[in-house]
């Protein structure tokens, strides 16, 4: 039965300086300071122009000036400081210089910032962990960068059932915090990645086969809506918004807190082996064979790079070498990278983090998917290795070819937890991704073309085989892909309805700089 929706009516935006200042809910002294600045700025003529006439950089500057009064030192405008903060983003493709960086510490401050950018119609971007390599998603030139890094507190309830995590936390910190309580959560595999963006795209973990996506394991979220209202979204309150946030991306509000259901897991088993590149097709065979197993506790990371292949095997409890991984044991490795180990979730995340460091500053990733089809895997791999080798020789770029197994149970878990917008069929499938790392901006197009042409092969050969799936995983999708467009039409329409309900003035669609927006899907 559908849960009743909380009746929210979006607040009408302030139409005068007085209304705007009142909406910020400031102490009198600060309110007076804001009013004085705005009266000096000749604001009405600036604000009343048409979209074309409005002096956009000037309005961004005024937003920053007001944000500085409201947030004090948590608004940074000095060039050197701004540049240093911008360069915390993982990929140089996102190092754009905003008019200012605002670093809220509370949901109320996020609300004040949203009210400021809305009133001045300033463009903005939202950044949590800064691990999207897509230009403009969590970066912006001249506008306001809302950096949630300082909202990174992690706590746990007295029964150790729910971890409450700020969007600016990194997954490594989350696992380190939870380790002491003997529990963990469904989250990212690499410790440096941010909580905020990963959950809004779905969130694939080593344990998703057993428990579903990270988003499927959220019990509630605190969200700041476009009009600055701070609300809770869960199964009982605004369940439509809650559903939309579980994979619908940055279209509905800024999430300021995720309450995550914990799982009673601390000790697990893992092993990692390095294979020579000539074992690629044998390993693709092994991967497809392993995909037919129904053991949802087993997870495999298959990362093929140009000079070696890493196979990570993970099992969701302490054990001896699990027989489910037998297809991989039949192929002789070059050497063991991590011997069979009964260790902790925290230790695994540290190992994964240490093995995924790149020295090149520019990055991209890309998404494609298919049913289980080993011939398809091999043909696409052959295309990729030829292209990737040639581009490596001409540019020095390093590229990977990664298959991620999605068992039916992952989809069923999502459905039994209230569903999500991804609209996945409960069948065994794989989500392909690739990471490209390179040095020079001049090589962007040629390096990205390897992944683009490889995803075309997934489609072309996949369709010929009858094993193509249109789904594109948002968290792996590149700037020109349309993950929301790969969701079922009914879900997309529902997402649009939710966005229209909670953001009727289209703040997130029109003022937000980038990211996977419904307005562009
Ligand atoms: C090395 C590496 C490993 C990865 N491993 C995994 C993995 O194991 N599983 C997986 O599923 N994905 C993985 N990813 C993909 C990752 O989930 C996405 O890149 C995700 O966007 C990163 O989140 P972030 O907070 O770091 O990103 P950001 O770049 O800060 O944000 C990404 C997008 O989310 C929006 N956003 C961020 N926070 C909020 C918020 N609080 N409210 C509203 N909008 C927000 C931003 O505006 C932007 O559009 C990995 C990526 C990398 C680079």
């Amino acid at each position: 039965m559908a849960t009743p929706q909380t009746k929210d009516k979006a607040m009408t935006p302030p139409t005068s300086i007085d209304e705007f200042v009142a909406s910020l809910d400031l102490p009198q002294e600060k309110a007076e300071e804001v009013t004085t600045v705005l009266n000096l700025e000749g604001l009405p003529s600036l604000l009343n122009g048409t979209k074309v006439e409005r002096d956009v950089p000037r309005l961004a500057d005024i937003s920053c000036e007001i944000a500085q009064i409201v947030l004090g030192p948590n608004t940074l405008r000095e060039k050197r400081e701004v540049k240093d903060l911008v360069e915390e983003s993982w990929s140089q493709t996102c190092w754009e210089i905003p008019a200012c960086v605002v670093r809220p510490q509370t949901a109320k401050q996020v609300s004040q910032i949203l009210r400021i950018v809305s009133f001045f119609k300033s463009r903005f971007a939202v950044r949590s962990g800064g691990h999207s390599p897509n230009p403009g998603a969590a970066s912006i030139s001249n506008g306001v960068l809302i950096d949630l890094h300082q909202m990174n507190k992690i706590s746990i309830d007295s029964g150790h059932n729910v971890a409450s995590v700020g969007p600016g936390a990194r997954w490594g910190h989350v696992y380190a915090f939870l380790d002491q309580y003997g529990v963990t959560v469904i989250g990212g595999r690499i410790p440096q990645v941010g909580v905020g963006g990963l959950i809004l795209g779905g969130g694939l973990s080593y344990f998703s086969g057993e428990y579903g996506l990270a988003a499927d394991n959220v019990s509630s979220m605190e969200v700041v809506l476009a009009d600055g209202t701070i609300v809770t979204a869960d199964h009982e309150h605004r369940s439509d918004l809650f559903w939309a946030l579980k994979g619908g991306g940055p279209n509905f509000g800024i999430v300021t807190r995720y309450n995550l259901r914990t799982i009673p897991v601390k000790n697990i088993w893992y092993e990692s082996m390095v294979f020579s590149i000539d074992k690629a097709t044998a390993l693709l065979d092994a991967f497809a064979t392993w995909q037919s197993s129904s053991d949802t506790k087993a997870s495999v990371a298959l990362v093929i790079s140009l000079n070696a292949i890493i196979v990570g095997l993970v099992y969701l409890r302490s054990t001896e070498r699990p027989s489910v991984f037998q297809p991989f044991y039949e192929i002789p490795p070059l050497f063991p990278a991590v011997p069979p180990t009964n260790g902790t979730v925290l230790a695994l995340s540290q190992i994964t983090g240490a093995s995924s460091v790149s020295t090149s500053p520019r990055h991209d990733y890309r998404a494609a998917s298919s049913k289980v089809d080993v011939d398809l895997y091999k043909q696409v791999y052959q295309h990729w290795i030829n292209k990737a080798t040639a581009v490596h020789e001409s540019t020095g770029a390093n590229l990977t070819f990664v298959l991620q197994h999605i068992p039916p149970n992952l989809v069923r878990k999502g459905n039994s937890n209230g569903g999500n917008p991804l609209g996945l069929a409960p069948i065994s499938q794989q989500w392909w991704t690739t990471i490209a790392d390179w040095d020079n901006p001049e090589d962007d197009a040629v390096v990205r073309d390897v992944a683009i042409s490889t995803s075309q092969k997934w489609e072309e050969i996949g369709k010929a085989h009858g094993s193509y799936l249109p789904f594109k995983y948002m968290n792996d999708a590149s700037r020109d892909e349309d993950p929301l467009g790969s969701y079922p039409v009914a879900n997309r329409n529902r997402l649009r309805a939710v966005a229209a309900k909670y953001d009727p003035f289209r703040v997130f669609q029109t003022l937000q700089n980038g990211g996977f927006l419904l307005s562009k899907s």
Side-chain angles (χ1 to χ4, degrees):
M1 203 180 78
T3 46
Q5 301 303 313
T6 309
K7 292 271 176 268
D8 287 307
K9 197 169 175 315
M11 285 200 295
T12 316
T15 51
S16 67
I17 290 177
D18 287 348
E19 275 179 28
F20 165 64
V21 176
S23 78
L24 295 179
D25 188 24
L26 294 169
Q28 194 180 346
E29 209 174 293
K30 285 198 174 189
E32 282 167 9
E33 208 180 329
V34 171
T35 309
T36 309
V37 169
L38 293 183
N39 283 332
L40 288 178
E41 299 282 357
L43 195 67
S45 58
L46 261 176
L47 280 176
N48 290 338
T50 64
K51 198 173 171 193
V52 180
E53 289 160 356
R54 273 201 307 266
D55 183 345
V56 175
R58 183 81 194 99
L59 288 169
D61 277 344
I62 298 174
S63 294
C64 292
E65 204 173 333
I66 303 305
Q68 201 160 32
I69 297 170
V70 176
L71 266 69
N74 290 321
T75 296
L76 293 113
R77 302 175 74 192
E78 198 273 315
K79 270 199 179 123
R80 182 73 242 173
E81 287 177 330
V82 167
K83 184 171 179 291
D84 286 349
L85 283 174
V86 161
E87 293 182 5
E88 285 179 6
S89 285
W90 175 60
S91 178
Q92 196 186 69
T93 50
C94 300
W95 292 0
E96 300 176 72
I97 300 298
C100 62
V101 182
V102 290
R103 308 190 92 203
Q105 292 180 316
T106 62
K108 179 174 176 185
Q109 290 182 340
V110 172
S111 157
Q112 290 168 320
I113 294 161
L114 270 178
R115 287 186 164 134
I116 293 169
V117 293
S118 300
F119 186 66
F120 295 106
K121 301 203 169 27
S122 286
R123 293 186 69 75
F124 67 92
V126 180
R127 180 175 79 173
S128 279
H131 265 69
S132 165
N134 295 327
S139 59
I140 185 164
S141 293
N142 299 322
V144 176
L145 178 61
I146 304 172
D147 176 15
L148 303 175
H149 179 79
Q150 299 197 98
M151 300 187 70
N152 57 11
K153 289 199 182 59
I154 308 165
S155 59
I156 191 163
D157 68 338
S158 56
H160 304 166
N161 296 314
V162 178
S164 186
V165 181
R170 310 293 173 121
W171 288 106
H173 297 140
V174 177
Y175 302 137
F177 175 83
L178 294 177
D179 183 74
Q180 61 190 305
Y181 300 100
V183 297
T184 193
V185 287
I186 303 301
R189 291 161 291 189
I190 309 280
Q192 298 90 339
V193 172
V195 168
L198 182 134
I199 294 181
L200 293 177
L204 192 56
S205 130
Y206 289 119
F207 313 130
S208 288
E210 178 87 348
Y211 291 100
L213 296 172
D216 297 324
N217 288 276
V218 176
S219 62
S220 71
M221 305 187 203
E222 178 187 72
V223 191
V224 183
L225 300 176
D227 66 3
T229 320
I230 302 167
V231 301
T232 296
D234 60 20
H235 284 305
E236 284 167 16
H237 309 91
R238 304 170 191 84
S239 59
D240 51 354
L241 176 63
F242 186 50
W243 173 85
L245 288 164
K246 293 195 279 177
N251 287 288
F252 312 96
I254 298 181
V255 180
T256 45
R257 184 139 291 271
Y258 295 90
N259 293 320
L260 311 176
R261 272 192 299 276
T262 61
I263 56 171
V265 173
K266 172 170 171 144
N267 297 306
I268 55 170
W269 178 95
Y270 48 80
E271 169 177 13
S272 168
M273 292 171 278
V274 177
F275 294 84
S276 56
I277 194 72
D278 61 317
K279 299 291 188 301
T281 50
L283 286 167
L284 292 173
D285 273 322
F287 190 84
T289 306
W290 166 71
Q291 283 190 286
S292 63
S293 155
S294 57
D295 186 341
T296 51
K297 289 188 168 53
S299 176
V300 173
L302 173 62
V303 182
I304 305 179
S305 62
L306 292 173
N307 50 12
I309 301 171
I310 297 180
V311 175
L313 309 174
V314 178
Y315 203 78
L316 185 51
R317 63 172 164 75
S318 299
T319 179
E320 298 298 308
R321 269 189 142 188
S323 58
V324 66
F325 296 129
Q326 190 54 38
F328 297 96
Y329 295 147
E330 283 164 14
I331 305 165
L334 270 181
F335 56 88
V338 179
T341 306
N342 280 312
T344 61
V345 175
L346 172 62
L348 175 64
S349 110
Q350 289 164 339
I351 291 167
T352 319
S355 64
S356 64
V357 175
S358 159
T359 50
S360 292
R362 299 181 82 74
H363 311 282
D364 194 21
Y365 48 35
R366 197 166 186 87
S369 67
S370 76
K371 295 178 190 166
V372 177
D373 177 346
V374 71
D375 289 335
L376 172 64
Y377 299 173
K378 288 178 186 171
Q379 287 181 49
V380 178
Y381 166 73
Q382 205 49 57
H383 169 88
W384 173 83
I385 189 78
N386 293 340
K387 282 260 181 189
T389 304
V391 163
H392 174 72
E393 281 164 8
S394 63
T395 66
N398 287 309
L399 301 100
T400 57
F401 182 100
V402 178
L403 296 186
Q404 306 172 109
H405 175 51
I406 305 300
N409 192 53
L410 179 153
V411 182
R412 284 192 215 108
K413 280 288 167 185
N415 292 340
S416 65
N417 285 340
N420 62 48
L422 278 60
L424 301 166
I427 55 167
S428 263
Q429 53 194 283
Q430 66 79 25
W431 293 353
W432 172 78
T433 191
T434 177
I435 290 192
D437 307 317
W438 71 101
D439 292 333
N440 298 318
E442 311 85 70
D443 295 331
D444 284 11
V446 67
V447 174
R448 292 191 65 242
D449 185 58
V450 177
I452 292 170
S453 75
T454 306
S455 60
Q456 285 161 354
K457 285 287 166 201
W458 281 113
E459 179 164 357
E460 181 191 312
I461 307 172
K463 279 182 174 165
H465 284 211
S467 39
Y468 172 69
L469 291 175
F471 179 74
K472 292 182 179 58
Y473 180 41
M474 182 182 287
N475 282 352
D476 292 333
S478 187
R479 55 185 92 161
D480 59 300
E481 294 189 289
D482 181 12
L484 292 167
S486 77
Y487 296 4
V489 175
N491 289 9
R492 231 177 319 149
N493 289 341
R494 196 173 159 201
L495 288 174
R496 287 188 205 287
V498 174
K501 176 176 169 186
Y502 290 96
D503 180 12
F505 298 99
R506 295 173 59 76
V507 168
F508 285 100
Q509 301 305 320
T510 57
L511 296 180
Q512 188 165 214
N513 189 42
F516 294 114
L517 299 180
L518 287 161
S519 53
K520 295 181 189 159
S521 170

